[in-house]
Amino acid sequence: MTEHPTSHDRRQAAAPPAASGAAMPEDAHGAVPDPRTDLRQGPGPAAAPEPGPDHRPRPTGHEAEPHPSELPATGLPAPLGRPADASATQRPVPADAVSQQPTTAQRSSTAQQPTTAPATPLPATAPSEAEAIALAARAGERLRYVGAATRRIARGIDLDEIVLGLCRATVPTFADAILVYLRDPLPVGDERPVDPVMLRLRRTDRIPEEADTETRLPLLPSGPDLSPALGGGPAADLCEVHSGGPLAEVLRGVRPVFGDSAAARAALPELLGEGRTVAMGQRSILAPLRGRRRVTGAAVFIRRPDRPPFERDDLLVAAQLATHTALGVDKAVLYGREVYIADELQRTMLPDSLPQPTGVRLASRYLPAAESARVGGDWYDAIPLPGNRVALVVGDVMGHSMTSAAIMGQLRTTAQTLAGLDLPPQEVLHHLDEQAQRLGTDRMATCLYAVYDPVAHRIVIANAGHPPPLLLHRGGRAEVLRVPPGAPIGVGGVDFEAVELDAPAGATLMLYTDGLVESRIRDVWTGINQLRERLTETARLTGPNPPPLEALCDEVLDMLGPGDRDDDVALLAARFEGIAPSDVAYWFLDPKAQTAGQARRLARRALSRWDLEELTDSVELLVSEVVTNAVRYAERPITLRLLRTDVLRCEVGDDVPQLPRLRQARPSDEGGRGLYLVNRLARRWGATRLSTGKVVWFELAIPPVVRPTPDSKV
């Protein structure tokens, strides 16, 4: 029969040499539990006694290290010491062990008896005091490194910054070389990943072969030669993860593994490519990058053969770095998707290109508040109107969110619809104000609406709480137009006032949002004066000729300093050219039966004066049809206007609001063929409802003028 040691013997072996104070609790067999004992070691020799109440780290040998499958959830190394007070070391005593514990008298009598049993020898792996202090210092350094590295990774916003942060935090502090693979394409959110799973080498980094480790080799998107850390040439740029293969098993396991493990030896050739190897032994770590929902890639940490190999604690460090990198990749992918949505929303809300109406040239600019907030509520627009007129609009919805952009899109659509009705500017702002109130009580915006008439060389402007426009004259003088400020859109119950001003040929109208002239370091009127001075200086450089419109917009934006970009900037510039009076023919005609013949004669004379006799037959036919239709229903005098620009445009206006519709006349119908002829012969045609009636117009292409050469013979 085997003799077991008594409880007294076990207590003598486990008790500290200089123990004093309250007795330590015992387990069911009378032994004192040691909180530092590794649970995976099983039965074995008792733990080494603590020399005193100071904190002692646990052994870090292979037999005392946690297995990769037992890594803490946080990824940090396990605590290296335990507090010396009783509250930190005591465990609850089982109920069935209370009766087995000796009384105080028994313990006293036992302590007075001489000990005959030999003392239990210390384990061979027990570190000395100096070794324990060194291990604790190394563990502290490892924790500080992990904290600094994860902070550096977390600072990144986009994908490149996060991957670069991992490389910079790893090389050369933790590894001599690193390869970072990411899925291609990266899944976003709950999107179903694309099959098969492909990993693309996103970035590499390594210590240069020179002694100066502060110098970095250029980082390349594909793997450079990592020799001597990586043998067999550069790593493969693209890798397919085969379902059920060794690489898929490692990625599914999530835990980092050493390169000399059986799983890594089979997975690394699949990842790096055939013929590529890494240094043998524990000189490489393969760490899967797992985000919130799925594995997004893998990282390979490599050390050279002449450098110390990785330790088992380094698996914890690699797990922490991989976890933070994967979470950062998820964050960057989601952020990139939001930026894409914001860009698409902003792009669709603003016009792709500006129209090129006759008599005015247009240019525009838009700048977001910052790269991180690319969506806002600023907008601009140019809308062609009947009679070669054009509506110029600029507005600003409060805020820099998706909601602001959505409200801006609704207001811009409303403004386009109202402009199509050819309402006066003050009426357009009134209806915009009503629309903003229907969207919500807190939907506020500023807007400036102007209508330019190139024939009359006049402009009508109405303002709703927006900064006043600037007019740069042909001679170089810039002035702030005196426009009633009005109340912002959305206030409600406010009347808007419009003013009519001269728009001389060669002048430039500058419409803008407050982000151009207002910032934290200057008020709005200071910015307006600076803008006026900048326009004057730019015009002075070109002399009597007005400055080029595109270059003028760039010069205006250059006035923004580094601290002036607090808001979005929308800029719309209009260079007035007008239509010369000699290119316009205008008549008032009474609605009589003889009016159609009179309109044909007037049009024939105008074409003869403009040397456009080739268009006489077509113009007389179309004018006769449109005027006849107007005379049939009009009660007031009708208008006939011909304009010669790059095309010949004819406009007929009356006081009837109903718009004509193109239809197919039956053989028995006596009428209904006039618009059919217009549609067949005209280059373009249309009808626009006005506040006083309607205008029906059509355009004909002007034949090119053939000029004889000097050596031609008649």
Side-chain angles (χ1 to χ4, degrees), residues 14-33:
S20 61
M24 297 292 291
E26 301 173 348
D27 60 7
H29 301 284
V32 179

Side-chain angles (χ1 to χ4, degrees), residues 288-442:
L289 305 180
R290 179 175 179 82
R292 293 177 177 86
R293 295 176 176 86
R294 59 181 64 90
V295 173
T296 59
V300 182
F301 305 94
I302 306 172
R303 286 186 181 176
R304 292 175 175 174
D306 57 341
R307 300 291 298 276
F310 289 108
E311 300 178 0
R312 296 189 64 85
D313 283 345
D314 292 329
L315 292 176
L316 301 171
V317 177
Q320 189 74 353
L321 297 177
T323 300
H324 279 265
T325 302
L327 294 177
V329 168
D330 281 350
K331 176 186 66 176
V333 171
L334 292 175
Y335 171 75
R337 173 58 63 88
E338 289 195 1
V339 170
Y340 170 78
I341 294 174
D343 286 343
E344 286 296 308
L345 179 61
Q346 190 73 43
R347 185 186 62 82
T348 54
M349 293 302 179
L350 296 176
D352 293 334
S353 60
L354 293 174
Q356 299 299 327
T358 303
V360 61
R361 285 189 294 164
L362 303 173
S364 63
R365 296 290 187 274
Y366 174 80
L367 293 178
E371 290 296 324
S372 59
R374 301 178 62 89
V375 62
D378 293 16
W379 92 91
Y380 61 88
D381 210 344
I383 309 168
L385 300 177
N388 285 85
R389 296 174 301 155
V390 58
L392 308 174
V393 191
V394 64
D396 183 6
V397 178
M398 297 181 182
H400 302 91
S401 62
M402 296 287 187
T403 303
S404 301
I407 296 173
M408 177 266 287
Q410 291 176 307
L411 294 179
R412 177 172 177 254
T413 303
T414 304
Q416 290 178 333
T417 304
L418 297 172
L421 300 177
D422 202 15
L423 298 178
Q426 65 272 19
E427 290 296 326
V428 172
L429 295 183
H430 175 72
H431 289 291
L432 286 177
D433 180 64
E434 292 181 343
Q435 176 67 13
Q437 295 180 62
R438 285 190 290 268
L439 296 176
T441 57
D442 57 343

Side-chain angles (χ1 to χ4, degrees), residues 283-638:
R283 301 185 183 277
S284 61
I285 295 177
L286 174 58
L289 305 180
R290 179 175 179 82
R292 293 177 177 86
R293 295 176 176 86
R294 59 181 64 90
V295 173
T296 59
V300 182
F301 305 94
I302 306 172
R303 286 186 181 176
R304 292 175 175 174
D306 57 341
R307 300 291 298 276
F310 289 108
E311 300 178 0
R312 296 189 64 85
D313 283 345
D314 292 329
L315 292 176
L316 301 171
V317 177
Q320 189 74 353
L321 297 177
T323 300
H324 279 265
T325 302
L327 294 177
V329 168
D330 281 350
K331 176 186 66 176
V333 171
L334 292 175
Y335 171 75
R337 173 58 63 88
E338 289 195 1
V339 170
Y340 170 78
I341 294 174
D343 286 343
E344 286 296 308
L345 179 61
Q346 190 73 43
R347 185 186 62 82
T348 54
M349 293 302 179
L350 296 176
D352 293 334
S353 60
L354 293 174
Q356 299 299 327
T358 303
V360 61
R361 285 189 294 164
L362 303 173
S364 63
R365 296 290 187 274
Y366 174 80
L367 293 178
E371 290 296 324
S372 59
R374 301 178 62 89
V375 62
D378 293 16
W379 92 91
Y380 61 88
D381 210 344
I383 309 168
L385 300 177
N388 285 85
R389 296 174 301 155
V390 58
L392 308 174
V393 191
V394 64
D396 183 6
V397 178
M398 297 181 182
H400 302 91
S401 62
M402 296 287 187
T403 303
S404 301
I407 296 173
M408 177 266 287
Q410 291 176 307
L411 294 179
R412 177 172 177 254
T413 303
T414 304
Q416 290 178 333
T417 304
L418 297 172
L421 300 177
D422 202 15
L423 298 178
Q426 65 272 19
E427 290 296 326
V428 172
L429 295 183
H430 175 72
H431 289 291
L432 286 177
D433 180 64
E434 292 181 343
Q435 176 67 13
Q437 295 180 62
R438 285 190 290 268
L439 296 176
T441 57
D442 57 343
R443 308 309 186 193
M444 304 285 290
T446 62
C447 182
L448 191 143
Y449 189 93
V451 176
Y452 170 64
D453 189 346
V455 177
H457 296 272
R458 304 283 288 179
I459 185 169
V460 182
I461 306 176
N463 192 6
H466 204 78
L470 275 74
L471 185 65
L472 177 62
H473 293 270
R474 189 182 184 91
R477 181 177 62 89
E479 65 170 331
V480 180
L481 298 182
R482 298 181 178 273
V483 179
I489 291 174
V491 174
V494 179
D495 292 333
F496 299 98
E497 184 180 355
V499 294
E500 186 174 357
L501 304 172
D502 289 331
T508 304
L509 182 69
M510 193 70 63
L511 307 180
Y512 54 90
T513 56
D514 57 355
L516 181 65
V517 295
E518 186 179 17
S519 66
R520 289 171 294 179
I521 60 176
R522 63 182 179 186
D523 60 85
V524 60
W525 282 107
T526 301
I528 291 175
N529 290 329
Q530 292 179 359
L531 175 60
R532 181 177 56 82
E533 294 173 358
R534 175 60 64 93
L535 292 176
T536 303
E537 294 174 359
T538 305
R540 188 179 298 116
L541 297 176
T542 59
N545 299 321
L549 201 57
E550 297 291 339
L552 181 63
C553 292
D554 294 335
E555 286 293 331
V556 168
L557 293 183
D558 286 342
M559 66 178 287
L560 294 172
D564 295 345
R565 292 286 301 281
D566 298 333
D567 198 357
D568 301 352
V569 177
L571 180 66
L572 179 62
R575 175 71 49 78
F576 300 143
E577 295 179 343
I579 299 177
S582 58
D583 293 329
V584 180
Y586 193 85
W587 303 277
F588 286 94
L589 304 176
D590 294 328
K592 298 184 299 184
Q594 300 82 5
T595 303
Q598 181 182 3
R600 289 194 295 270
R601 291 191 299 271
L602 295 174
R604 190 186 309 115
R605 294 174 186 173
L607 295 177
S608 177
R609 185 171 67 251
W610 293 335
D611 295 330
L612 297 177
E613 288 84 356
E614 298 180 19
L615 300 178
T616 301
D617 295 338
S618 299
V619 171
E620 286 187 357
L621 176 60
L622 298 183
V623 166
S624 177
E625 292 294 336
V626 176
V627 170
T628 300
N629 187 72
V631 169
R632 180 178 301 177
Y633 303 102
E635 297 180 357
R636 298 179 182 179
I638 65 174

Side-chain angles (χ1 to χ4, degrees), residues 148-321:
T150 53
R151 286 193 300 270
R152 185 166 192 171
I153 295 171
R155 282 199 300 264
I157 295 179
D158 59 15
L159 201 59
D160 292 334
E161 290 179 351
I162 292 172
V163 176
L164 179 61
L166 173 64
C167 295
R168 288 289 188 258
T170 302
V171 179
T173 309
F174 181 69
D176 297 330
I178 183 175
L179 298 93
V180 183
Y181 287 83
L182 295 179
R183 296 183 68 157
D184 186 23
L186 280 166
V188 181
D190 295 328
E191 287 184 357
R192 185 182 182 89
V194 179
D195 291 328
V197 177
M198 305 296 294
L199 296 181
R200 183 175 295 277
L201 184 60
R202 183 78 182 194
R203 202 175 193 98
T204 62
D205 195 6
R206 71 178 176 91
I207 298 178
E209 298 181 8
E210 291 78 10
D212 183 13
T213 59
E214 297 299 327
T215 306
R216 297 288 190 278
L217 291 182
L219 297 179
L220 303 177
S222 60
D225 185 11
L226 298 178
S227 176
L230 182 64
D237 184 70
L238 191 63
C239 161
E240 179 179 351
V241 181
H242 301 283
S243 178
L247 181 58
E249 293 298 326
V250 173
L251 297 180
R252 188 180 297 110
V254 178
R255 306 293 185 181
V257 293
F258 284 123
D260 61 348
S261 63
R265 285 198 301 268
L268 283 175
E270 183 180 349
L271 179 65
L272 305 178
E274 295 296 335
R276 281 84 171 180
T277 59
V278 294
M280 299 302 295
Q282 294 183 356
R283 301 185 183 277
S284 61
I285 295 177
L286 174 58
L289 305 180
R290 179 175 179 82
R292 293 177 177 86
R293 295 176 176 86
R294 59 181 64 90
V295 173
T296 59
V300 182
F301 305 94
I302 306 172
R303 286 186 181 176
R304 292 175 175 174
D306 57 341
R307 300 291 298 276
F310 289 108
E311 300 178 0
R312 296 189 64 85
D313 283 345
D314 292 329
L315 292 176
L316 301 171
V317 177
Q320 189 74 353
L321 297 177

